[in-house]
Amino acid sequence: MTDDFTDADAKAICAALGVDTKTITDTFGRTHVVIDEAGMRTLAAHSPNPARGQALVDQIVAAARGLNTPEENQ
């Protein structure tokens, strides 16, 4: 068994759970599969510990919002 988790693997799991994905390219030319907050919450709800999953999403969203200016967070 391999521990390589590819973008195709992530997209397949998301598709099976009805989570929309988007592929973006960063400023260095690398591609990334991204999901929005609703998608993260759906994945968390299907995790082995949904309450912990939702708490982690809360932390991620709070940290991401902290990267914006106060005006962008409103």
Side-chain angles (χ1 to χ4, degrees):
M1 184 167 160
T2 179
D3 61 355
D4 295 332
F5 190 77
T6 67
D7 287 350
D9 296 329
K11 287 180 178 182
I13 290 170
C14 288
L17 296 173
V19 173
D20 292 328
T21 61
K22 186 187 328 181
T23 302
I24 63 167
T25 303
D26 66 18
T27 56
F28 300 103
R30 299 173 298 207
T31 59
H32 305 278
V33 175
V34 297
I35 60 175
D36 61 12
E37 181 180 350
M40 289 192 300
R41 294 209 178 275
T42 299
L43 292 175
H46 287 85
S47 71
N49 185 341
R52 177 69 178 135
Q54 296 297 337
L56 289 171
V57 172
D58 291 342
Q59 291 174 341
I60 292 166
V61 170
R65 288 188 178 137
L67 297 175
N68 299 326
T69 65
E71 293 80 24
E72 293 173 319
N73 289 331
Q74 296 180 14

mmCIF file of all heavy atoms in Angstrom, residues 2-59:
data_model
loop_
_atom_site.group_PDB
_atom_site.id
_atom_site.type_symbol
_atom_site.label_atom_id
_atom_site.label_comp_id
_atom_site.label_asym_id
_atom_site.label_seq_id
_atom_site.Cartn_x
_atom_site.Cartn_y
_atom_site.Cartn_z
ATOM 1 N N THR A 2 0.460 2.236 -0.705
ATOM 2 C CA THR A 2 1.216 3.483 -0.795
ATOM 3 C C THR A 2 0.537 4.567 0.033
ATOM 4 O O THR A 2 -0.660 4.510 0.279
ATOM 5 C CB THR A 2 1.348 3.922 -2.266
ATOM 6 O OG1 THR A 2 2.069 5.150 -2.321
ATOM 7 C CG2 THR A 2 -0.004 4.125 -2.912
ATOM 8 N N ASP A 3 1.312 5.541 0.433
ATOM 9 C CA ASP A 3 0.737 6.645 1.200
ATOM 10 C C ASP A 3 0.592 7.903 0.345
ATOM 11 O O ASP A 3 0.370 8.983 0.846
ATOM 12 C CB ASP A 3 1.557 6.922 2.459
ATOM 13 C CG ASP A 3 2.990 7.328 2.157
ATOM 14 O OD1 ASP A 3 3.388 7.312 0.978
ATOM 15 O OD2 ASP A 3 3.710 7.663 3.106
ATOM 16 N N ASP A 4 0.742 7.743 -0.976
ATOM 17 C CA ASP A 4 0.578 8.879 -1.877
ATOM 18 C C ASP A 4 -0.906 9.178 -2.071
ATOM 19 O O ASP A 4 -1.680 8.313 -2.456
ATOM 20 C CB ASP A 4 1.206 8.584 -3.242
ATOM 21 C CG ASP A 4 2.714 8.423 -3.172
ATOM 22 O OD1 ASP A 4 3.318 9.025 -2.273
ATOM 23 O OD2 ASP A 4 3.263 7.683 -4.001
ATOM 24 N N PHE A 5 -1.288 10.407 -1.786
ATOM 25 C CA PHE A 5 -2.675 10.842 -1.928
ATOM 26 C C PHE A 5 -2.668 11.901 -3.018
ATOM 27 O O PHE A 5 -2.135 12.995 -2.824
ATOM 28 C CB PHE A 5 -3.173 11.415 -0.600
ATOM 29 C CG PHE A 5 -4.651 11.669 -0.561
ATOM 30 C CD1 PHE A 5 -5.540 10.623 -0.396
ATOM 31 C CD2 PHE A 5 -5.147 12.947 -0.671
ATOM 32 C CE1 PHE A 5 -6.912 10.842 -0.343
ATOM 33 C CE2 PHE A 5 -6.508 13.192 -0.627
ATOM 34 C CZ PHE A 5 -7.392 12.133 -0.458
ATOM 35 N N THR A 6 -3.224 11.581 -4.157
ATOM 36 C CA THR A 6 -3.153 12.465 -5.311
ATOM 37 C C THR A 6 -4.344 13.426 -5.363
ATOM 38 O O THR A 6 -5.342 13.244 -4.651
ATOM 39 C CB THR A 6 -3.140 11.638 -6.611
ATOM 40 O OG1 THR A 6 -4.410 10.988 -6.754
ATOM 41 C CG2 THR A 6 -2.019 10.603 -6.599
ATOM 42 N N ASP A 7 -4.228 14.408 -6.247
ATOM 43 C CA ASP A 7 -5.350 15.319 -6.480
ATOM 44 C C ASP A 7 -6.569 14.539 -6.969
ATOM 45 O O ASP A 7 -7.698 14.844 -6.596
ATOM 46 C CB ASP A 7 -4.975 16.390 -7.509
ATOM 47 C CG ASP A 7 -4.024 17.438 -6.957
ATOM 48 O OD1 ASP A 7 -3.794 17.466 -5.730
ATOM 49 O OD2 ASP A 7 -3.518 18.248 -7.761
ATOM 50 N N ALA A 8 -6.325 13.523 -7.790
ATOM 51 C CA ALA A 8 -7.443 12.705 -8.285
ATOM 52 C C ALA A 8 -8.133 11.983 -7.137
ATOM 53 O O ALA A 8 -9.371 11.864 -7.129
ATOM 54 C CB ALA A 8 -6.938 11.699 -9.316
ATOM 55 N N ASP A 9 -7.360 11.514 -6.153
ATOM 56 C CA ASP A 9 -7.951 10.873 -4.976
ATOM 57 C C ASP A 9 -8.844 11.860 -4.220
ATOM 58 O O ASP A 9 -9.962 11.534 -3.832
ATOM 59 C CB ASP A 9 -6.867 10.349 -4.030
ATOM 60 C CG ASP A 9 -6.016 9.249 -4.623
ATOM 61 O OD1 ASP A 9 -6.527 8.472 -5.460
ATOM 62 O OD2 ASP A 9 -4.833 9.170 -4.246
ATOM 63 N N ALA A 10 -8.331 13.063 -4.001
ATOM 64 C CA ALA A 10 -9.091 14.084 -3.276
ATOM 65 C C ALA A 10 -10.373 14.433 -4.021
ATOM 66 O O ALA A 10 -11.449 14.535 -3.423
ATOM 67 C CB ALA A 10 -8.235 15.332 -3.069
ATOM 68 N N LYS A 11 -10.258 14.606 -5.329
ATOM 69 C CA LYS A 11 -11.440 14.938 -6.131
ATOM 70 C C LYS A 11 -12.474 13.812 -6.092
ATOM 71 O O LYS A 11 -13.673 14.067 -6.037
ATOM 72 C CB LYS A 11 -11.038 15.236 -7.571
ATOM 73 C CG LYS A 11 -10.337 16.565 -7.743
ATOM 74 C CD LYS A 11 -9.983 16.773 -9.207
ATOM 75 C CE LYS A 11 -9.327 18.104 -9.438
ATOM 76 N NZ LYS A 11 -9.022 18.335 -10.862
ATOM 77 N N ALA A 12 -12.007 12.570 -6.119
ATOM 78 C CA ALA A 12 -12.932 11.427 -6.096
ATOM 79 C C ALA A 12 -13.693 11.356 -4.779
ATOM 80 O O ALA A 12 -14.908 11.117 -4.762
ATOM 81 C CB ALA A 12 -12.161 10.129 -6.335
ATOM 82 N N ILE A 13 -13.000 11.559 -3.667
ATOM 83 C CA ILE A 13 -13.663 11.555 -2.357
ATOM 84 C C ILE A 13 -14.671 12.695 -2.276
ATOM 85 O O ILE A 13 -15.812 12.501 -1.850
ATOM 86 C CB ILE A 13 -12.634 11.653 -1.218
ATOM 87 C CG1 ILE A 13 -11.842 10.351 -1.138
ATOM 88 C CG2 ILE A 13 -13.311 11.967 0.115
ATOM 89 C CD1 ILE A 13 -10.638 10.421 -0.221
ATOM 90 N N CYS A 14 -14.253 13.869 -2.716
ATOM 91 C CA CYS A 14 -15.156 15.018 -2.681
ATOM 92 C C CYS A 14 -16.380 14.779 -3.564
ATOM 93 O O CYS A 14 -17.504 15.074 -3.166
ATOM 94 C CB CYS A 14 -14.413 16.281 -3.093
ATOM 95 S SG CYS A 14 -13.248 16.876 -1.855
ATOM 96 N N ALA A 15 -16.167 14.235 -4.752
ATOM 97 C CA ALA A 15 -17.283 13.971 -5.664
ATOM 98 C C ALA A 15 -18.264 12.976 -5.048
ATOM 99 O O ALA A 15 -19.479 13.148 -5.149
ATOM 100 C CB ALA A 15 -16.765 13.458 -6.998
ATOM 101 N N ALA A 16 -17.725 11.954 -4.390
ATOM 102 C CA ALA A 16 -18.593 10.944 -3.773
ATOM 103 C C ALA A 16 -19.464 11.544 -2.672
ATOM 104 O O ALA A 16 -20.570 11.069 -2.424
ATOM 105 C CB ALA A 16 -17.748 9.807 -3.206
ATOM 106 N N LEU A 17 -18.970 12.603 -2.026
ATOM 107 C CA LEU A 17 -19.716 13.245 -0.941
ATOM 108 C C LEU A 17 -20.471 14.494 -1.399
ATOM 109 O O LEU A 17 -21.087 15.190 -0.594
ATOM 110 C CB LEU A 17 -18.758 13.607 0.207
ATOM 111 C CG LEU A 17 -18.096 12.417 0.891
ATOM 112 C CD1 LEU A 17 -17.042 12.891 1.888
ATOM 113 C CD2 LEU A 17 -19.139 11.556 1.582
ATOM 114 N N GLY A 18 -20.412 14.797 -2.687
ATOM 115 C CA GLY A 18 -21.123 15.958 -3.216
ATOM 116 C C GLY A 18 -20.445 17.286 -2.930
ATOM 117 O O GLY A 18 -21.101 18.328 -2.921
ATOM 118 N N VAL A 19 -19.131 17.260 -2.704
ATOM 119 C CA VAL A 19 -18.374 18.484 -2.415
ATOM 120 C C VAL A 19 -17.765 19.006 -3.713
ATOM 121 O O VAL A 19 -17.057 18.269 -4.420
ATOM 122 C CB VAL A 19 -17.260 18.207 -1.379
ATOM 123 C CG1 VAL A 19 -16.371 19.426 -1.192
ATOM 124 C CG2 VAL A 19 -17.868 17.765 -0.058
ATOM 125 N N ASP A 20 -18.047 20.261 -4.034
ATOM 126 C CA ASP A 20 -17.477 20.874 -5.231
ATOM 127 C C ASP A 20 -16.008 21.202 -5.004
ATOM 128 O O ASP A 20 -15.622 21.689 -3.933
ATOM 129 C CB ASP A 20 -18.221 22.161 -5.594
ATOM 130 C CG ASP A 20 -19.643 21.905 -6.048
ATOM 131 O OD1 ASP A 20 -19.890 20.847 -6.655
ATOM 132 O OD2 ASP A 20 -20.514 22.762 -5.792
ATOM 133 N N THR A 21 -15.197 20.946 -6.025
ATOM 134 C CA THR A 21 -13.776 21.293 -5.966
ATOM 135 C C THR A 21 -13.453 22.265 -7.090
ATOM 136 O O THR A 21 -14.180 22.360 -8.078
ATOM 137 C CB THR A 21 -12.876 20.049 -6.126
ATOM 138 O OG1 THR A 21 -13.114 19.457 -7.403
ATOM 139 C CG2 THR A 21 -13.122 19.037 -5.030
ATOM 140 N N LYS A 22 -12.374 22.976 -6.907
ATOM 141 C CA LYS A 22 -11.867 23.877 -7.929
ATOM 142 C C LYS A 22 -10.357 23.676 -7.989
ATOM 143 O O LYS A 22 -9.721 23.461 -6.962
ATOM 144 C CB LYS A 22 -12.197 25.319 -7.561
ATOM 145 C CG LYS A 22 -11.828 26.312 -8.644
ATOM 146 C CD LYS A 22 -11.982 27.782 -8.300
ATOM 147 C CE LYS A 22 -13.084 28.134 -7.352
ATOM 148 N NZ LYS A 22 -13.174 29.566 -7.086
ATOM 149 N N THR A 23 -9.800 23.733 -9.169
ATOM 150 C CA THR A 23 -8.349 23.651 -9.318
ATOM 151 C C THR A 23 -7.838 25.055 -9.601
ATOM 152 O O THR A 23 -8.344 25.742 -10.496
ATOM 153 C CB THR A 23 -7.955 22.699 -10.463
ATOM 154 O OG1 THR A 23 -8.499 21.408 -10.181
ATOM 155 C CG2 THR A 23 -6.456 22.583 -10.588
ATOM 156 N N ILE A 24 -6.846 25.480 -8.818
ATOM 157 C CA ILE A 24 -6.262 26.805 -8.998
ATOM 158 C C ILE A 24 -4.765 26.647 -9.269
ATOM 159 O O ILE A 24 -4.178 25.617 -8.964
ATOM 160 C CB ILE A 24 -6.483 27.709 -7.770
ATOM 161 C CG1 ILE A 24 -5.793 27.131 -6.526
ATOM 162 C CG2 ILE A 24 -7.966 27.948 -7.527
ATOM 163 C CD1 ILE A 24 -5.701 28.094 -5.362
ATOM 164 N N THR A 25 -4.176 27.681 -9.822
ATOM 165 C CA THR A 25 -2.732 27.733 -10.041
ATOM 166 C C THR A 25 -2.184 28.903 -9.252
ATOM 167 O O THR A 25 -2.682 30.025 -9.375
ATOM 168 C CB THR A 25 -2.414 27.906 -11.541
ATOM 169 O OG1 THR A 25 -3.031 26.837 -12.267
ATOM 170 C CG2 THR A 25 -0.917 27.888 -11.782
ATOM 171 N N ASP A 26 -1.172 28.626 -8.411
ATOM 172 C CA ASP A 26 -0.601 29.702 -7.607
ATOM 173 C C ASP A 26 0.428 30.492 -8.421
ATOM 174 O O ASP A 26 0.664 30.213 -9.602
ATOM 175 C CB ASP A 26 -0.009 29.161 -6.297
ATOM 176 C CG ASP A 26 1.201 28.262 -6.487
ATOM 177 O OD1 ASP A 26 1.839 28.282 -7.561
ATOM 178 O OD2 ASP A 26 1.533 27.524 -5.533
ATOM 179 N N THR A 27 1.022 31.492 -7.807
ATOM 180 C CA THR A 27 1.945 32.377 -8.513
ATOM 181 C C THR A 27 3.233 31.678 -8.951
ATOM 182 O O THR A 27 3.981 32.219 -9.764
ATOM 183 C CB THR A 27 2.310 33.592 -7.637
ATOM 184 O OG1 THR A 27 2.853 33.117 -6.402
ATOM 185 C CG2 THR A 27 1.104 34.457 -7.371
ATOM 186 N N PHE A 28 3.484 30.489 -8.411
ATOM 187 C CA PHE A 28 4.678 29.736 -8.797
ATOM 188 C C PHE A 28 4.379 28.692 -9.868
ATOM 189 O O PHE A 28 5.238 27.898 -10.229
ATOM 190 C CB PHE A 28 5.287 29.053 -7.563
ATOM 191 C CG PHE A 28 5.692 30.029 -6.504
ATOM 192 C CD1 PHE A 28 4.906 30.191 -5.375
ATOM 193 C CD2 PHE A 28 6.832 30.805 -6.637
ATOM 194 C CE1 PHE A 28 5.262 31.090 -4.392
ATOM 195 C CE2 PHE A 28 7.191 31.721 -5.660
ATOM 196 C CZ PHE A 28 6.406 31.857 -4.534
ATOM 197 N N GLY A 29 3.120 28.664 -10.352
ATOM 198 C CA GLY A 29 2.738 27.736 -11.396
ATOM 199 C C GLY A 29 2.299 26.370 -10.900
ATOM 200 O O GLY A 29 2.063 25.463 -11.695
ATOM 201 N N ARG A 30 2.173 26.202 -9.584
ATOM 202 C CA ARG A 30 1.727 24.920 -9.026
ATOM 203 C C ARG A 30 0.211 24.891 -8.977
ATOM 204 O O ARG A 30 -0.422 25.901 -8.699
ATOM 205 C CB ARG A 30 2.289 24.735 -7.611
ATOM 206 C CG ARG A 30 3.816 24.712 -7.572
ATOM 207 C CD ARG A 30 4.301 24.689 -6.157
ATOM 208 N NE ARG A 30 3.870 25.916 -5.473
ATOM 209 C CZ ARG A 30 4.494 26.468 -4.443
ATOM 210 N NH1 ARG A 30 5.562 25.894 -3.937
ATOM 211 N NH2 ARG A 30 4.043 27.573 -3.887
ATOM 212 N N THR A 31 -0.360 23.712 -9.234
ATOM 213 C CA THR A 31 -1.814 23.576 -9.160
ATOM 214 C C THR A 31 -2.211 22.989 -7.810
ATOM 215 O O THR A 31 -1.469 22.198 -7.216
ATOM 216 C CB THR A 31 -2.362 22.692 -10.288
ATOM 217 O OG1 THR A 31 -1.755 21.410 -10.208
ATOM 218 C CG2 THR A 31 -2.108 23.302 -11.647
ATOM 219 N N HIS A 32 -3.384 23.398 -7.327
ATOM 220 C CA HIS A 32 -3.915 22.948 -6.048
ATOM 221 C C HIS A 32 -5.418 22.710 -6.192
ATOM 222 O O HIS A 32 -6.105 23.465 -6.877
ATOM 223 C CB HIS A 32 -3.697 24.002 -4.955
ATOM 224 C CG HIS A 32 -2.281 24.419 -4.796
ATOM 225 N ND1 HIS A 32 -1.371 23.707 -4.064
ATOM 226 C CD2 HIS A 32 -1.609 25.482 -5.295
ATOM 227 C CE1 HIS A 32 -0.211 24.304 -4.093
ATOM 228 N NE2 HIS A 32 -0.319 25.392 -4.849
ATOM 229 N N VAL A 33 -5.902 21.670 -5.541
ATOM 230 C CA VAL A 33 -7.339 21.425 -5.474
ATOM 231 C C VAL A 33 -7.839 22.127 -4.217
ATOM 232 O O VAL A 33 -7.294 21.928 -3.130
ATOM 233 C CB VAL A 33 -7.654 19.924 -5.407
ATOM 234 C CG1 VAL A 33 -9.143 19.688 -5.214
ATOM 235 C CG2 VAL A 33 -7.160 19.221 -6.658
ATOM 236 N N VAL A 34 -8.858 22.966 -4.363
ATOM 237 C CA VAL A 34 -9.389 23.708 -3.222
ATOM 238 C C VAL A 34 -10.886 23.468 -3.084
ATOM 239 O O VAL A 34 -11.574 23.137 -4.054
ATOM 240 C CB VAL A 34 -9.099 25.225 -3.339
ATOM 241 C CG1 VAL A 34 -7.603 25.493 -3.330
ATOM 242 C CG2 VAL A 34 -9.716 25.811 -4.593
ATOM 243 N N ILE A 35 -11.364 23.625 -1.852
ATOM 244 C CA ILE A 35 -12.791 23.553 -1.570
ATOM 245 C C ILE A 35 -13.153 24.744 -0.693
ATOM 246 O O ILE A 35 -12.283 25.322 -0.029
ATOM 247 C CB ILE A 35 -13.194 22.228 -0.877
ATOM 248 C CG1 ILE A 35 -12.455 22.058 0.449
ATOM 249 C CG2 ILE A 35 -12.927 21.049 -1.781
ATOM 250 C CD1 ILE A 35 -12.892 20.849 1.249
ATOM 251 N N ASP A 36 -14.416 25.108 -0.688
ATOM 252 C CA ASP A 36 -14.856 26.237 0.128
ATOM 253 C C ASP A 36 -15.249 25.757 1.530
ATOM 254 O O ASP A 36 -15.159 24.569 1.853
ATOM 255 C CB ASP A 36 -15.990 26.999 -0.553
ATOM 256 C CG ASP A 36 -17.234 26.158 -0.787
ATOM 257 O OD1 ASP A 36 -17.331 25.029 -0.236
ATOM 258 O OD2 ASP A 36 -18.120 26.627 -1.517
ATOM 259 N N GLU A 37 -15.684 26.709 2.343
ATOM 260 C CA GLU A 37 -16.037 26.383 3.733
ATOM 261 C C GLU A 37 -17.163 25.349 3.808
ATOM 262 O O GLU A 37 -17.113 24.417 4.617
ATOM 263 C CB GLU A 37 -16.441 27.646 4.494
ATOM 264 C CG GLU A 37 -16.799 27.365 5.942
ATOM 265 C CD GLU A 37 -17.205 28.604 6.730
ATOM 266 O OE1 GLU A 37 -17.044 29.736 6.227
ATOM 267 O OE2 GLU A 37 -17.688 28.428 7.865
ATOM 268 N N ALA A 38 -18.156 25.484 2.951
ATOM 269 C CA ALA A 38 -19.263 24.514 2.963
ATOM 270 C C ALA A 38 -18.744 23.112 2.660
ATOM 271 O O ALA A 38 -19.167 22.128 3.275
ATOM 272 C CB ALA A 38 -20.337 24.920 1.963
ATOM 273 N N GLY A 39 -17.801 23.012 1.730
ATOM 274 C CA GLY A 39 -17.205 21.722 1.409
ATOM 275 C C GLY A 39 -16.417 21.152 2.565
ATOM 276 O O GLY A 39 -16.479 19.941 2.846
ATOM 277 N N MET A 40 -15.673 22.017 3.248
ATOM 278 C CA MET A 40 -14.924 21.547 4.421
ATOM 279 C C MET A 40 -15.866 21.039 5.491
ATOM 280 O O MET A 40 -15.596 20.029 6.150
ATOM 281 C CB MET A 40 -14.035 22.663 4.981
ATOM 282 C CG MET A 40 -12.863 22.990 4.093
ATOM 283 S SD MET A 40 -11.616 24.056 4.863
ATOM 284 C CE MET A 40 -12.533 25.509 5.239
ATOM 285 N N ARG A 41 -16.986 21.721 5.671
ATOM 286 C CA ARG A 41 -17.954 21.294 6.690
ATOM 287 C C ARG A 41 -18.607 19.958 6.313
ATOM 288 O O ARG A 41 -18.855 19.124 7.181
ATOM 289 C CB ARG A 41 -18.992 22.375 6.921
ATOM 290 C CG ARG A 41 -18.350 23.625 7.535
ATOM 291 C CD ARG A 41 -19.273 24.422 8.384
ATOM 292 N NE ARG A 41 -18.574 25.562 8.960
ATOM 293 C CZ ARG A 41 -17.852 25.517 10.072
ATOM 294 N NH1 ARG A 41 -17.718 24.394 10.728
ATOM 295 N NH2 ARG A 41 -17.244 26.592 10.531
ATOM 296 N N THR A 42 -18.839 19.752 5.029
ATOM 297 C CA THR A 42 -19.375 18.465 4.587
ATOM 298 C C THR A 42 -18.376 17.345 4.860
ATOM 299 O O THR A 42 -18.739 16.282 5.365
ATOM 300 C CB THR A 42 -19.726 18.509 3.086
ATOM 301 O OG1 THR A 42 -20.722 19.506 2.876
ATOM 302 C CG2 THR A 42 -20.228 17.170 2.588
ATOM 303 N N LEU A 43 -17.114 17.570 4.535
ATOM 304 C CA LEU A 43 -16.089 16.566 4.806
ATOM 305 C C LEU A 43 -15.982 16.300 6.307
ATOM 306 O O LEU A 43 -15.876 15.149 6.736
ATOM 307 C CB LEU A 43 -14.735 17.006 4.248
ATOM 308 C CG LEU A 43 -14.622 17.054 2.728
ATOM 309 C CD1 LEU A 43 -13.271 17.626 2.318
ATOM 310 C CD2 LEU A 43 -14.835 15.691 2.113
ATOM 311 N N ALA A 44 -16.033 17.358 7.109
ATOM 312 C CA ALA A 44 -15.950 17.197 8.562
ATOM 313 C C ALA A 44 -17.124 16.380 9.088
ATOM 314 O O ALA A 44 -16.959 15.550 9.986
ATOM 315 C CB ALA A 44 -15.912 18.562 9.244
ATOM 316 N N ALA A 45 -18.301 16.602 8.524
ATOM 317 C CA ALA A 45 -19.493 15.870 8.966
ATOM 318 C C ALA A 45 -19.369 14.371 8.688
ATOM 319 O O ALA A 45 -19.984 13.561 9.369
ATOM 320 C CB ALA A 45 -20.736 16.430 8.289
ATOM 321 N N HIS A 46 -18.562 14.002 7.701
ATOM 322 C CA HIS A 46 -18.363 12.597 7.350
ATOM 323 C C HIS A 46 -17.105 12.009 7.982
ATOM 324 O O HIS A 46 -16.742 10.869 7.698
ATOM 325 C CB HIS A 46 -18.297 12.439 5.830
ATOM 326 C CG HIS A 46 -19.628 12.603 5.173
ATOM 327 N ND1 HIS A 46 -20.123 13.845 4.826
ATOM 328 C CD2 HIS A 46 -20.580 11.714 4.837
ATOM 329 C CE1 HIS A 46 -21.310 13.689 4.283
ATOM 330 N NE2 HIS A 46 -21.623 12.412 4.284
ATOM 331 N N SER A 47 -16.453 12.751 8.841
ATOM 332 C CA SER A 47 -15.233 12.254 9.477
ATOM 333 C C SER A 47 -15.576 11.298 10.624
ATOM 334 O O SER A 47 -16.723 11.254 11.081
ATOM 335 C CB SER A 47 -14.407 13.435 10.005
ATOM 336 O OG SER A 47 -15.036 14.027 11.117
ATOM 337 N N PRO A 48 -14.598 10.547 11.111
ATOM 338 C CA PRO A 48 -14.854 9.634 12.233
ATOM 339 C C PRO A 48 -15.349 10.344 13.491
ATOM 340 O O PRO A 48 -16.083 9.772 14.282
ATOM 341 C CB PRO A 48 -13.504 8.969 12.480
ATOM 342 C CG PRO A 48 -12.789 9.086 11.177
ATOM 343 C CD PRO A 48 -13.254 10.381 10.577
ATOM 344 N N ASN A 49 -14.951 11.605 13.669
ATOM 345 C CA ASN A 49 -15.376 12.390 14.822
ATOM 346 C C ASN A 49 -15.903 13.734 14.308
ATOM 347 O O ASN A 49 -15.170 14.715 14.270
ATOM 348 C CB ASN A 49 -14.206 12.594 15.790
ATOM 349 C CG ASN A 49 -14.609 13.306 17.066
ATOM 350 O OD1 ASN A 49 -15.637 13.958 17.129
ATOM 351 N ND2 ASN A 49 -13.788 13.180 18.078
ATOM 352 N N PRO A 50 -17.176 13.785 13.903
ATOM 353 C CA PRO A 50 -17.713 15.007 13.294
ATOM 354 C C PRO A 50 -17.580 16.262 14.161
ATOM 355 O O PRO A 50 -17.308 17.340 13.635
ATOM 356 C CB PRO A 50 -19.182 14.665 13.035
ATOM 357 C CG PRO A 50 -19.195 13.180 12.909
ATOM 358 C CD PRO A 50 -18.159 12.699 13.884
ATOM 359 N N ALA A 51 -17.755 16.133 15.466
ATOM 360 C CA ALA A 51 -17.640 17.319 16.334
ATOM 361 C C ALA A 51 -16.225 17.882 16.274
ATOM 362 O O ALA A 51 -16.026 19.099 16.187
ATOM 363 C CB ALA A 51 -18.022 16.969 17.768
ATOM 364 N N ARG A 52 -15.239 17.002 16.320
ATOM 365 C CA ARG A 52 -13.841 17.449 16.231
ATOM 366 C C ARG A 52 -13.555 18.015 14.847
ATOM 367 O O ARG A 52 -12.857 19.010 14.703
ATOM 368 C CB ARG A 52 -12.894 16.285 16.542
ATOM 369 C CG ARG A 52 -11.436 16.630 16.417
ATOM 370 C CD ARG A 52 -10.999 17.586 17.518
ATOM 371 N NE ARG A 52 -9.585 17.842 17.392
ATOM 372 C CZ ARG A 52 -9.047 19.051 17.473
ATOM 373 N NH1 ARG A 52 -9.805 20.097 17.743
ATOM 374 N NH2 ARG A 52 -7.766 19.221 17.325
ATOM 375 N N GLY A 53 -14.115 17.379 13.817
ATOM 376 C CA GLY A 53 -13.939 17.877 12.460
ATOM 377 C C GLY A 53 -14.476 19.285 12.297
ATOM 378 O O GLY A 53 -13.827 20.145 11.706
ATOM 379 N N GLN A 54 -15.667 19.542 12.843
ATOM 380 C CA GLN A 54 -16.248 20.886 12.753
ATOM 381 C C GLN A 54 -15.410 21.897 13.531
ATOM 382 O O GLN A 54 -15.227 23.033 13.094
ATOM 383 C CB GLN A 54 -17.696 20.885 13.243
ATOM 384 C CG GLN A 54 -18.644 20.044 12.413
ATOM 385 C CD GLN A 54 -18.802 20.497 10.977
ATOM 386 O OE1 GLN A 54 -18.568 21.646 10.630
ATOM 387 N NE2 GLN A 54 -19.220 19.587 10.126
ATOM 388 N N ALA A 55 -14.878 21.475 14.675
ATOM 389 C CA ALA A 55 -14.025 22.371 15.463
ATOM 390 C C ALA A 55 -12.760 22.734 14.683
ATOM 391 O O ALA A 55 -12.310 23.887 14.722
ATOM 392 C CB ALA A 55 -13.663 21.717 16.801
ATOM 393 N N LEU A 56 -12.196 21.770 13.972
ATOM 394 C CA LEU A 56 -11.014 22.061 13.158
ATOM 395 C C LEU A 56 -11.343 23.017 12.021
ATOM 396 O O LEU A 56 -10.568 23.931 11.718
ATOM 397 C CB LEU A 56 -10.414 20.766 12.612
ATOM 398 C CG LEU A 56 -9.724 19.884 13.640
ATOM 399 C CD1 LEU A 56 -9.359 18.538 13.022
ATOM 400 C CD2 LEU A 56 -8.494 20.563 14.210
ATOM 401 N N VAL A 57 -12.504 22.838 11.398
ATOM 402 C CA VAL A 57 -12.918 23.760 10.344
ATOM 403 C C VAL A 57 -13.072 25.164 10.920
ATOM 404 O O VAL A 57 -12.648 26.146 10.315
ATOM 405 C CB VAL A 57 -14.217 23.299 9.655
ATOM 406 C CG1 VAL A 57 -14.743 24.369 8.692
ATOM 407 C CG2 VAL A 57 -13.993 21.986 8.916
ATOM 408 N N ASP A 58 -13.659 25.276 12.115
ATOM 409 C CA ASP A 58 -13.786 26.583 12.769
ATOM 410 C C ASP A 58 -12.420 27.241 12.927
ATOM 411 O O ASP A 58 -12.258 28.433 12.669
ATOM 412 C CB ASP A 58 -14.446 26.449 14.141
ATOM 413 C CG ASP A 58 -15.910 26.064 14.071
ATOM 414 O OD1 ASP A 58 -16.524 26.220 12.984
ATOM 415 O OD2 ASP A 58 -16.441 25.595 15.095
ATOM 416 N N GLN A 59 -11.419 26.469 13.352
ATOM 417 C CA GLN A 59 -10.072 27.007 13.548
ATOM 418 C C GLN A 59 -9.448 27.433 12.223
ATOM 419 O O GLN A 59 -8.817 28.495 12.139
ATOM 420 C CB GLN A 59 -9.183 25.974 14.225
ATOM 421 C CG GLN A 59 -9.561 25.700 15.659
ATOM 422 C CD GLN A 59 -8.745 24.564 16.259
ATOM 423 O OE1 GLN A 59 -8.159 23.752 15.555
ATOM 424 N NE2 GLN A 59 -8.712 24.515 17.579
#
